[in-house]
Amino acid sequence: MKNDAGNKVDVNLYGEVVESVPIDWWTGEKVEGLFIELKQFLSDIDSLSGADEVTFHINSMGGDVEAGIAIYNKITAMEAKTTTIVEGLAASAASIIAQAGDTRIMGTGSQMMIHGASI
């Protein structure tokens, strides 16, 4: 997260959407990589309660749909003006998160993949 002047905050949501960071089967250690971890997101988002504007920069192939829905709901509940910007890819669960902004922007050349409804 980056807090700019004027109480504006930028949040990078890069990586796989997960409830918790995966653990390597062989070593028992956390897997290296970029993750949008639900637990960490919820902790970070609570620290933004006084922000006027929050911009979420998204580049994610998706992941855990339940974590994505929880993140979506947390963003839509914010009192701050929110903007979501897809900077590369917003696929699957990340496409849900991308819809949470009051303003939604797709960067040049960016892509969004939404699964077809099956229920």
Side-chain angles (χ1 to χ4, degrees):
M1 286 189 293
K2 178 180 159 194
N3 197 345
D4 293 333
N7 225 9
K8 297 179 182 179
V9 179
D10 286 304
V11 177
N12 291 325
L13 297 176
Y14 278 37
E16 184 179 352
V17 179
V18 295
E19 188 168 330
S20 59
V21 175
I23 303 298
D24 183 277
W25 174 264
W26 300 105
T27 65
E29 297 178 11
K30 289 185 176 185
V31 173
E32 293 286 325
L34 292 175
F35 297 99
I36 304 165
E37 181 184 19
L38 177 59
K39 179 179 158 186
Q40 184 66 50
F41 177 84
L42 295 175
S43 172
D44 291 344
I45 205 78
D46 286 341
S47 69
L48 304 178
S49 61
D52 295 326
E53 295 180 32
V54 181
T55 301
F56 297 92
H57 302 269
I58 301 170
N59 187 23
S60 171
M61 73 290 244
D64 184 354
V65 69
E66 288 83 9
I69 291 170
I71 291 169
Y72 168 92
N73 286 326
K74 194 68 171 178
I75 292 171
T76 59
M78 294 180 75
E79 292 183 17
K81 179 184 180 296
T82 57
T83 301
T84 53
I85 302 174
V86 178
E87 296 181 336
L89 174 65
S92 193
S95 71
I96 296 168
I97 297 169
Q99 302 311 309
D102 297 323
T103 302
R104 296 173 294 277
I105 299 169
M106 295 284 295
T108 301
S110 62
Q111 299 178 1
M112 184 175 299
M113 189 285 292
I114 301 171
H115 293 285
S118 61
I119 296 178

